[in-house]
Structures are given as C-alpha cells and as structure tokens.
Amino acid sequence: WSPSSSSTSSSSSSSPLSYMTCRIKVNIPPWQLANIPVAVHTHLHTLLFRYSDGLDAVIINIADVAIEKHKPPHVATFAPTVHVYAQAKLLLFQPNRGQVLHGVVTKVGHDYCAIKTLGVFNATVSRKDVDTSKFSEQNQLVPGTEVRFAVKDVNHEGGFFSLTGALNQENTGPVV
C-alpha cells in the first residue's frame, strides 16, 4: 500500500471513517492473466472487512479502481505471478483510543456487554467499565439499546478486528 498524493480524510476529524486513494500492487497468477481487470477486482474484494496492517485500518469499500497502464506488468522473480499496479479510493474504518462511537447493544452477560458499531464491527465492554448510574428504567442496558461508548483499545490479529470499549467516560451511555 502506498497512499497517493490525493489522500483525503473524512470531513470530521472525530469520525472513525476516512477516504484514502492508494496505489496497490496486485500479484496475478498465470491462470488469471486473460482478464487482468477482473483479477485485480477479485483480489481487492478479498481485502474488504479485514484489518490491514499497512493501512492501520479496516477497508470497508473500494471504489474508482484504475489499473496503471503506463507500466507493463512485471513478472515476479521467485513466484509464478505478474505484478500489476492499480489506484483505488478506499473507505477506511480507523477508530482511535478515546474516540466516542455509536453502537447498539447486542448482548449483556454477567461480566460484559457486546456492542455492534456501524452494524458490522464488534466491541466488548467489561462490567467494570460501565457506569450504571447513566442507565435508568427507561434506558436500560439491554440488547437493542443504542449507546455511545469510548474506544479503550483496538484489537487486530490475522486480519480480524474488534474493539474494547467503555461506558463510564464523559459523553458515553445510552442515546436518548
């Protein structure tokens, strides 16, 4: 991954979403050389909703893919693949520690609650990180409750991604 000069962020610095235009090297095996555009798109779609160490984010959309035609494909020295470069605009999910996100409680256990943010990404909040005084009979901490939570940690391993959150900080709690 290499960001191009036209990289941009979302309009709000407090948003976990941002756009970035990147130059991407794609390795294409011989059996896919008949249709390079399809091979590039196929490879790029395998990157969706997986954590990328190179971008320090999760790619949630890929648009405006353009294969660089000014450079001929380069045959790899030690592998039977051809290197092709493409430009693409990526929508990234890149939350930071301390950032407050919106989510929906999906499960409440005896020592934690699970939250889904953007309808896709999982966050876990330990019972010790819940300020119960923020919840009332009308706004209980139950599945389906909309909450604002603070990101305590961003966890990623092997392309998988999750968040650890807190409901005991300023601007967190039920959405009323």
Side-chain angles (χ1 to χ4, degrees):
W1 299 102
S2 59
S4 71
S5 58
S6 62
S7 298
T8 59
S9 294
S10 65
S11 59
S12 169
S13 62
S14 64
S15 174
L17 300 173
S18 63
Y19 283 99
M20 177 183 286
T21 300
C22 286
R23 182 173 187 245
I24 304 160
K25 180 172 91 172
V26 179
N27 298 320
I28 300 174
W31 62 87
Q32 292 183 321
L33 290 176
N35 197 337
I36 290 177
V38 169
V40 168
H41 280 84
T42 299
H43 174 74
L44 293 177
H45 282 94
T46 65
L47 305 175
L48 288 171
F49 291 95
R50 297 198 46 99
Y51 184 83
S52 168
D53 286 318
L55 296 171
D56 194 27
V58 176
I59 302 166
I60 59 176
N61 190 32
I62 300 171
D64 304 333
V65 177
I67 298 168
E68 293 181 2
K69 297 193 187 306
H70 63 277
K71 288 187 176 183
H74 172 75
V75 178
T77 307
F78 299 105
T81 60
V82 173
H83 301 305
V84 175
Y85 289 90
Q87 292 265 347
K89 185 175 182 180
L90 309 177
L91 177 59
L92 306 174
F93 179 62
Q94 193 172 29
N96 297 309
R97 284 190 179 122
Q99 194 166 36
V100 176
L101 302 179
H102 182 273
V104 176
V105 175
T106 57
K107 184 174 183 172
V108 177
H110 71 280
D111 60 348
Y112 76 99
C113 74
I115 300 170
K116 197 157 290 231
T117 187
L118 294 180
V120 178
F121 300 105
N122 294 316
T124 304
V125 177
S126 171
R127 178 66 72 187
K128 67 179 174 48
D129 292 321
V130 176
D131 181 355
T132 54
S133 70
K134 293 184 177 193
F135 296 90
S136 65
E137 193 171 311
Q138 293 82 19
N139 296 307
Q140 296 180 18
L141 185 60
V142 295
T145 302
E146 290 186 43
V147 294
R148 286 183 303 275
F149 67 97
V151 176
K152 278 185 65 175
D153 203 8
V154 177
N155 313 301
H156 53 87
E157 182 72 36
F160 296 102
F161 175 86
S162 67
L163 299 168
T164 304
L167 287 165
N168 60 358
Q169 298 178 11
E170 188 177 342
N171 297 322
T172 65
V175 175
V176 288

